[in-house]
Structure formats: C-alpha cells, structure tokens
Amino acid sequence: MGLTALKQTVQTVCRLGECFSGADKEYVMQFAFRTGDGELTDKLIDELLQTGADRKIIYQKFNTLVDFQPDWIRSIENLLISLELYRVQEEKALKTLAEILSVYGIELSEKEIRELPPDKFREYARRIEYMQR
C-alpha cells in the first residue's frame, strides 16, 4: 500500500479513535497495509463502526479477502524455514568434515559421519592431531 493511503487510514482511525478498541485499530492497519485497497479498508471501518457489530464475524469475513494468517501459522512457517536453513548448514558441515577427513586418509561418507559415535570421532581427531606432529 502506498504511504499516502496508509497515512489516510491512520488519520481516519485516529479521528474515530474512541470508537475502536486497540485490537480493532491494529486489525484495520494491518488490513490496509496488506490489501492496499482504500475502498475495502473504508468498508471494513464502516462495518466495525456499526452498533452491535460482531467483531469476530467481521474479522473472519475480511480475512477471507486477503491472505491473513494467524500468528501461530506464521510461527510454524518461521520454524520450518529455520529448520531447513539448519539442515542446509548441517549438510555443508558434514561435506566439509568428510573432505577434511579424506585429506588425512580417513574415508568416511557424510552418512557415516552423521552416524559416528562421539567417541569414535574423537579417536579420528586424535589420529589427525598425531599425524600433524
């Protein structure tokens, strides 16, 4: 949404401030920002201003108009992204470790390194340390 349109929405919400709860204000701002549609945002404001309006139904109605996601879904998506980034880094580390070990004559695949018990890995590390002396 353009800054002018967002500014207009902010001005409208501030002008009608007492009519809205903090949650309503936040919802309207997020809606305006995500849709970029001033007319649709005005329609949302009008519906929220109606006496006895059911906020939950209005929110659900307008959520269907945009790709709104609850916080818990965004959190799960962020966790999945983090897990994927971690997996990629782990693969790079295992590949590098396999290359380093092969330089010292220890031929292990990435899968073997992943399954290697810590004690056995320490033994390989000591062997490399001994070779460097």
Side-chain angles (χ1 to χ4, degrees):
M1 174 177 215
L3 289 177
T4 13
L6 186 57
K7 183 179 176 183
Q8 290 172 349
T9 303
V10 169
Q11 289 171 345
T12 303
V13 169
C14 288
R15 190 170 18 98
L16 302 169
E18 292 181 11
C19 301
F20 291 125
S21 68
D24 287 345
K25 290 176 186 176
E26 181 180 341
Y27 183 82
V28 169
M29 292 305 174
Q30 288 180 359
F31 184 84
F33 182 76
R34 287 187 177 190
T35 63
D37 188 333
E39 290 179 35
L40 201 52
T41 303
D42 290 342
K43 183 167 174 39
L44 169 62
I45 291 170
D46 290 342
E47 287 195 28
L48 288 172
L49 287 174
Q50 291 178 7
T51 309
D54 186 345
R55 276 19 187 183
K56 187 175 181 181
I57 291 173
I58 293 171
Y59 289 173
Q60 287 175 347
K61 176 182 172 183
F62 281 85
N63 281 347
T64 60
L65 299 175
V66 292
D67 188 25
F68 261 76
Q69 297 174 333
D71 289 340
W72 66 272
I73 290 178
R74 278 194 298 263
S75 294
I76 288 173
E77 287 177 345
N78 289 339
L79 287 171
L80 291 172
I81 291 168
S82 296
L83 285 171
E84 181 61 19
L85 290 172
Y86 173 78
R87 187 192 64 73
V88 167
Q89 290 301 318
E90 181 184 34
E91 300 251 334
K92 286 180 184 177
L94 288 170
K95 184 177 180 179
T96 302
L97 193 51
E99 290 170 358
I100 291 170
L101 290 173
S102 70
V103 167
Y104 289 98
I106 303 169
E107 298 297 329
L108 293 173
S109 69
E110 294 167 30
K111 183 181 178 189
E112 291 171 321
I113 293 172
R114 181 178 277 123
E115 296 170 356
L116 199 63
D119 292 341
K120 189 69 173 170
F121 192 77
R122 283 188 200 102
E123 180 183 318
Y124 288 132
R126 283 189 209 107
R127 225 189 275 172
I128 292 171
E129 184 180 0
Y130 179 74
M131 290 177 177
Q132 287 182 338
R133 291 182 187 173

